[in-house]
Amino acid sequence: MLTPAVLGALAPGQPVSGAVLARTVGVTRAAIWKQVETLRQRGLPIEARVGGGYRLPWPVQLLEEATIRGELPVVARQRLGGLEVHWELDSTSSELQRRLPDVPDLSIVMAEAQTAGRGRRGKSWISPPGLNIYLSVAKHFDAGFARLSGLSLAIGVMVLHALEDMGIRTAGLKWPNDILAADAKLAGVLVELSGEFQGPCTAVIGIGLNMRVPDALREEAAQPVTDVAALCGGEPPDRNLMAAALITRLVSGLERFEREGFAAFVDDYATFDLLAGQPLRVIGAQGEFHGVGAGIDGRGALMVRVGSDLKRVDSADVSVRRT
């Protein structure tokens, strides 16, 4: 069973001997070795030197609910339905799904680690402990599913604004919901809807943001990945501050989406659009075609110029690749 105590002791990034770890955690040195090996298997590059103890190559900031709350603006704190920080979950979105329909509006669940993080199209989301941000929020809407067109794109805009708030301005959006920097994945968004098609419904929105991805995990990924550390010269912002920036943007952004829909985010999306003007290959149930990205329409569909025609592409079952 993975416990937070060993990671907490190693979090400052300084060498700690096995004997000191054993005394600190209150277990045997053999148990410490097992915990360290488990953390390594989960993706943490813990170094070990004879006579030098164990150490992480850089400090880690563990998530603290009180710290995150303290960094939120008063309005955001008042609007939150709840904020929980767990050590480990199967996934933050699954935790919220299990509580529907009773979970309060704008309830947020975070975790240091996920054992079954989910991405789009059923892909797994690599979720090592203590390194990245895994966050889900539940938002209730009185209108039905049809009124939520473009929600995942709007969430992408909110994430980009949160990154800008932390001084990171080199990322963009690849339709429908990938957040990229230098053609590598920085973050992902997964929106899952439940409820009535034309009545009250709930969106559970999961966000995975790569703060620091070790080299070994980059090799496991099915696509190029990057992290906030790389965009900040090796020194990413404190994870608690980044989490607070995300939550602040989500609270205000989701309330704006509820009032105004995706129309309120179209212009901002255009400023972050990585596909506009790019040659594209679109693959879907209706076959494959090539064209040039022409932005998005008012409901969030991708527009692709094919010769003199303008095709609109929905996000349900397509893959879009730059050529």
Side-chain angles (χ1 to χ4, degrees), residues 255-290:
E255 291 191 325
R256 187 180 185 193
F257 186 94
E258 185 175 28
R259 294 191 307 268
E260 305 174 41
F262 183 61
F265 298 86
V266 171
D267 290 342
D268 279 355
Y269 188 95
T271 66
F272 298 124
D273 189 352
L274 295 174
L275 298 186
Q278 298 295 312
L280 305 179
R281 178 163 62 112
V282 181
I283 307 165
Q286 304 304 315
E288 176 180 333
F289 67 89
H290 295 251

Side-chain angles (χ1 to χ4, degrees), residues 222-245:
Q223 61 183 311
V225 299
T226 189
D227 55 28
V228 171
L231 305 183
C232 296
E235 296 294 333
D238 185 289
R239 290 169 71 226
N240 290 291
L241 300 184
M242 187 71 248

Side-chain angles (χ1 to χ4, degrees), residues 142-157:
D142 291 332
F145 294 170
R147 294 284 300 275
L148 303 187
S149 294
L151 177 58
S152 66
L153 282 70
I155 297 296
V157 170

